[in-house]
Amino acid sequence: KAGVTQTPRYLIKTRGQQVTLSCSPISGHRSVSWYQQTPGQGLQFLFEYFSETQRNKGNFPGRFSGRQFSNSRSEMNVSTLELGDSALYLCASSRIGTNTDTQYFGPGTRLTVL
Amino acid sequence: GQNIDQPTEMTATEGAIVQINCTYQTSGFNGLFWYQQHAGEAPTFLSYNVLDGLEEKGRFSSFLSRSKGYSYLLLKELQMKDSASYLCAVASGGSYIPTFGRGTSLIVHP
């Protein structure tokens, strides 16, 4: 069974630009969560999608948005990039997103904002 | 909100046993997870505790005390490949989305 895939793996952008990251969950998984990981703040939850609906949301500004498609693939978008957005963005999928579900993480997208 | 504390860094010797502690303050506890993350890689699931007690899985065991807001991950027969960051995460407040601690960087030396 293929794991969670994320594209692109690395990205360099400049301040003010926008970026779209993609995540393909494990086949059969319907819950997709996004996290931002930085050395200073650790792993922070951005949002979770289930059946094309945002089900949970973390404490990030509105510049961070996402969506999920009918095949459970998900994208996240960051508009008006800031230097502080430089981070590893991780996507995790699980079957239905309950506490007994194991989350499987993708390799991440390393975003650098210059 | 939640407060999750774990040591920043620990060192141990190959073949030894190490215990990584995690304390948390939360309401509506829904479960505690431990993940392992090697440098430059994605976190991988190690264990899940929702009831008090010890869960053993090979060389790794995880303990939970809900009344004390405390968990630990026990690693036995340490190997060099166990050098990694260990993340404690707690789901609570009606959500199954875990909040992660900042991780404990474990360095195993010969």
Side-chain angles (χ1 to χ4, degrees):
Chain A
K1 195 185 240 186
V4 179
T5 58
Q6 292 186 244
T7 56
R9 293 293 312 279
Y10 301 91
L11 207 49
I12 299 175
K13 292 285 188 179
T14 56
R15 279 180 299 174
Q17 287 187 308
Q18 75 163 16
V19 67
T20 299
L21 312 181
S22 181
C23 171
S24 291
I26 291 172
S27 178
H29 285 194
R30 293 166 61 191
S31 169
V32 174
S33 297
W34 288 91
Y35 294 84
Q36 181 195 67
Q37 188 173 34
T38 59
Q41 297 296 320
L43 245 173
Q44 293 187 288
F45 171 70
L46 281 155
F47 27 66
E48 183 232 1
Y49 286 86
F50 179 79
S51 291
E52 302 179 65
T53 301
Q54 187 181 88
R55 190 164 64 172
N56 289 284
K57 187 178 189 306
N59 295 323
F60 277 80
R63 300 186 297 107
F64 293 81
S65 63
R67 58 178 175 167
Q68 186 180 36
F69 303 95
S70 58
N71 61 358
S72 293
R73 190 178 70 85
S74 178
E75 289 181 347
M76 69 163 280
N77 184 77
V78 188
S79 62
T80 320
L81 284 166
E82 300 177 359
L83 294 179
D85 297 333
S86 293
L88 180 66
Y89 289 89
L90 291 162
C91 157
S93 79
S94 62
R95 286 185 306 111
I96 55 176
T98 67
N99 61 331
T100 56
D101 252 356
T102 298
Q103 281 194 318
Y104 295 89
F105 283 84
T109 295
R110 172 76 61 185
L111 172 64
T112 302
V113 182
L114 302 176
Chain B
Q2 297 183 55
N3 211 13
I4 300 172
D5 288 314
Q6 48 182 135
T8 304
E9 187 174 293
M10 298 181 71
T11 59
T13 305
E14 195 175 13
I17 299 173
V18 72
Q19 178 175 311
I20 302 174
N21 296 325
C22 171
T23 59
Y24 63 89
Q25 296 171 326
T26 190
S27 57
F29 177 81
N30 281 335
L32 186 142
F33 303 81
W34 283 96
Y35 282 83
Q36 179 192 59
Q37 186 176 25
H38 285 100
E41 297 182 14
T44 55
F45 171 80
L46 288 176
S47 67
Y48 168 71
N49 294 70
V50 66
L51 300 176
D52 291 350
L54 187 69
E55 295 275 345
E56 297 187 75
K57 199 182 289 186
R59 295 190 299 115
F60 293 8
S61 303
S62 57
F63 171 83
L64 175 67
S65 169
R66 289 171 295 170
S67 62
K68 295 181 180 176
Y70 169 69
S71 172
Y72 67 73
L73 180 69
L74 193 71
L75 292 75
K76 302 176 187 175
E77 300 168 18
L78 280 173
Q79 302 174 10
M80 300 296 289
K81 68 178 182 178
D82 296 329
S83 293
S85 182
Y86 291 85
L87 306 171
C88 172
V90 177
S92 67
S95 169
Y96 298 128
I97 303 297
T99 297
F100 284 79
R102 296 199 179 181
T104 298
S105 176
L106 174 66
I107 301 168
V108 180
H109 55 82

